[in-house]
Amino acid sequence: MIVFERNLWEPVERYYFRSTRGLTPICELARQGDSWEVLFYRGATRPGPHPYDSFDHAKAHIMRFLAPREDELRGPEAVWAAANANPTATPAGNLQTRHPRRARRRSSL
């Protein structure tokens, strides 16, 4: 899945797009005056900057480009992604067989 995030301490409004399993961004989308510019760090034959008039239009193009290429462009794998890649076995005694909120009915005697 592709996500985008912004660092609030940066003086320019800039969004970084990366894979949820990747550690480093694949591209950035930054405000330049009244327009937006896309700059690719890897994967594109022409890294840019590519100008766009609106944020939504630029984001749609980025997502359309990155979604099918996510695995090859993700870059170094994040620690949390590597940890989740190999699920650990759960002992049979820890499996929950009933819903935790369902209370047992007491017999009325």
Side-chain angles (χ1 to χ4, degrees), residues 47-109:
H50 303 282
Y52 288 91
D53 290 334
S54 72
F55 176 83
D56 293 330
H57 190 230
K59 184 180 121 183
H61 277 203
I62 291 171
M63 292 298 205
R64 218 172 315 147
F65 177 76
L66 295 182
R69 299 169 179 87
E70 178 182 359
D71 288 336
E72 63 190 58
L73 297 178
R74 85 169 162 246
E77 192 170 39
V79 174
W80 56 85
N84 291 333
N86 297 322
T88 57
T90 305
N94 289 344
L95 293 177
Q96 189 172 355
T97 57
R98 47 186 300 129
H99 193 278
R101 290 191 180 194
R102 285 197 185 145
R104 287 186 163 172
R105 292 187 181 190
R106 296 181 185 185
S107 61
S108 56
L109 292 177

Side-chain angles (χ1 to χ4, degrees), residues 16-57:
Y16 298 96
F17 290 76
R18 66 174 177 81
S19 168
T20 54
R21 295 177 298 162
L23 187 60
T24 57
I26 301 168
C27 68
E28 73 176 45
L29 175 61
R31 182 181 284 282
Q32 299 293 328
D34 291 339
S35 62
W36 294 86
E37 285 186 351
V38 176
L39 179 66
F40 285 92
Y41 299 139
R42 60 180 171 271
T45 54
R46 296 181 315 156
H50 303 282
Y52 288 91
D53 290 334
S54 72
F55 176 83
D56 293 330
H57 190 230

